[in-house]
Amino acid sequence: MMSDHKTSNQMWGGRFASGPAAIMEAINASISFDRKLYAQDIRGSLAHSEMLAETGIISKADQEKIAHGLNTILKEIESGAFVFSTKLEDIHMNVEARLAELIGTAAGRLHTARSRNDQVALDFRLWVKDEFQRIAEALKGIIGVLLDRADEHAATVMPGFTHLQTAQPVTFGHHCMAYVEMFARDLSRVRDAIERMNESPLGAAALAGTGFPIDRHQTAKALGFREPTRNSLDSVSDRDYALEFLSIAAICATHLSRLAEEIVIWSTPQFAFVRLSDSFSTGSSIMPQKKNPDAAELVRAKTGRVNGHLVGLLTVMKGLPLTYSKDMQEDKEAVFDAAETLDLMLAAMTGMVGDMTVNEQAMKRAAGSGYSTATDLADWLVRTLGLPFREAHHVTGRAVALAEQKKVGLEKLSLDDLKAIHSDITDDIFSVLTVQNSVKSRKSFGGTAPAEVRRQIRYWKKRLAKA
Ligand code: ARG
């Protein structure tokens, strides 16, 4: 039998009582995710109502009722008693409808000189700003752990790589400090972004401002912003702060994924540079000998998700005409998920790095393999014999070839072997062929010498103490 066309669509209407209206509700509603903004929404409404009363736009008595109602709603939501309704679309209308139930007609005055367009722009900015602060704290946390590990291992020698081929010896402390630089840049990006987004859009109303004598400076100040935004059209259509949040998150996640990848490599039995603690690794259900770096792998993988959210929102925003379009409702899930994901990634990485065991012997052994001090040999020829670097490079190449042929390290060649390659070589050359002396010699600013690494650590400890 044919179903009634009006109440359900033949193709997809089976579960819908009233056809398109229910679909409309489903695509339109954002309450399932924007309820996360409840605290910001209520904060914004309280500030707005106070300003309306102070400017004489609403009465003090109505404002008191509104404030009382909003505080009741806050408690209801926090205790789980509040009933959210999809029919009421979003957090703004859910709160307002409940306010009407609680205080009656005065509730209708709250939305004077305001629109959901500036309201949502405000709520979301407040949320992103709070989240920026959380990320800043988490970044300080991981930087602190890396500084501690660097301190401990300022002189622990390991191979430095290019192309993942042994290049020159470095210290593990120096390697940790490379990540300190990255996360410190992330932290400075967060601070820059907060500074840029620290303006209140409240009072831009639907798009054109309002004829009511509102005081946007007052609400901006009450809500902790530096000042109000300067253009009402931009105020309701700007989502740069969300895009900046996502791009900073993507860059930070990318840093985390590089460290995660190194931990995956370092924790293989072949490398054995580090051993993850039991709390940050898992076993295999079939191979009892295995200890898997799952947390590191997941940090590496979740970066894809964060990067995806950035591209997703850029794509939502591209080509949108001014001002507000409903497309912009799609900004929230991207940012919420990226934030939750990044928080977790930072926490996992901080834990992993903090309690992994560093195998100094394995690092040192590896540091000496692969003729890692060949550049030191060449530098000695330049410094001591005055050879041009290109010629020294050639002489060193012959020494490496000989060592390879004899299956020994460079430091195990005899003086006669070396003299046969260049007659002016003296046994002073052996002083630069050990990995310890190699790293010790690299005292240039930013270099890997333990003394220089310790100077870098002091610099960052001092700088972050001030931050
Ligand atoms: N839920 C909406 C959003 O997140 C709120 C703004 C609605 N504005 C409108 N003009 N329909 O974007």
Side-chain angles (χ1 to χ4, degrees), residues 350-377:
T350 306
M352 242 183 300
V353 171
D355 64 6
M356 70 190 182
T357 311
V358 175
N359 184 342
E360 298 183 20
Q361 279 71 35
M363 283 188 178
K364 190 172 167 204
R365 220 176 302 123
S369 70
Y371 309 106
S372 65
T373 56
T375 320
D376 299 275
L377 195 157

Side-chain angles (χ1 to χ4, degrees), residues 30 34 90 92 116-117 120 324 329 332:
S30 53
D34 69 14
D90 56 25
H92 324 296
R116 270 193 296 156
N117 295 349
V120 73
Y324 178 86
Q329 181 165 283
K332 290 171 205 66

Side-chain angles (χ1 to χ4, degrees), residues 293-312:
D294 294 41
E297 293 168 276
L298 286 163
V299 166
R300 186 173 62 183
K302 283 178 190 294
T303 304
R305 197 157 136 184
V306 175
N307 292 358
H309 288 313
L310 169 62
V311 176

Side-chain angles (χ1 to χ4, degrees), residues 220-417:
K221 194 159 168 244
L223 291 164
F225 290 104
R226 191 183 57 237
E227 58 190 334
T229 50
R230 274 171 304 279
N231 180 296
S232 64
L233 303 177
D234 180 52
S235 305
V236 295
S237 61
D238 170 34
R239 291 294 181 274
D240 286 4
Y241 52 93
L243 290 171
E244 281 199 51
F245 177 84
L246 291 173
S247 54
I248 291 169
I251 295 171
C252 179
T254 300
H255 294 152
L256 287 166
S257 80
R258 296 181 75 171
L259 181 52
E261 169 66 0
E262 301 212 277
I263 290 175
V264 169
I265 295 172
W266 293 342
S267 61
T268 57
Q270 288 75 9
F271 266 79
F273 284 5
V274 301
R275 199 181 147 75
L276 292 174
S277 70
D278 287 352
S279 29
F280 282 100
S281 47
T282 52
S284 159
S285 52
I286 176 166
M287 296 163 282
Q289 84 283 12
K290 293 196 73 186
K291 193 163 189 190
N292 294 329
D294 294 41
E297 293 168 276
L298 286 163
V299 166
R300 186 173 62 183
K302 283 178 190 294
T303 304
R305 197 157 136 184
V306 175
N307 292 358
H309 288 313
L310 169 62
V311 176
L313 187 58
L314 281 169
T315 311
V316 167
M317 294 306 293
K318 77 163 277 298
L320 281 189
L322 299 188
T323 56
Y324 178 86
S325 294
K326 197 61 176 260
D327 306 53
M328 287 156 73
Q329 181 165 283
E330 290 288 309
D331 57 2
K332 290 171 205 66
E333 285 161 296
V335 169
F336 291 159
D337 185 68
E340 198 179 308
T341 306
L342 189 63
D343 287 344
L344 189 57
M345 289 167 76
L346 280 164
M349 193 50 93
T350 306
M352 242 183 300
V353 171
D355 64 6
M356 70 190 182
T357 311
V358 175
N359 184 342
E360 298 183 20
Q361 279 71 35
M363 283 188 178
K364 190 172 167 204
R365 220 176 302 123
S369 70
Y371 309 106
S372 65
T373 56
T375 320
D376 299 275
L377 195 157
D379 287 348
W380 184 91
L381 295 169
V382 170
R383 221 172 29 237
T384 316
L385 303 184
L387 299 193
F389 183 76
R390 281 294 155 222
E391 195 188 329
H393 186 283
H394 185 77
V395 170
T396 307
R398 290 183 52 207
V400 169
L402 183 63
E404 220 164 19
Q405 193 196 320
K406 295 193 154 190
K407 297 193 178 20
V408 294
L410 284 172
E411 74 287 359
K412 291 276 149 51
L413 289 174
S414 68
L415 185 58
D416 287 343
D417 286 338

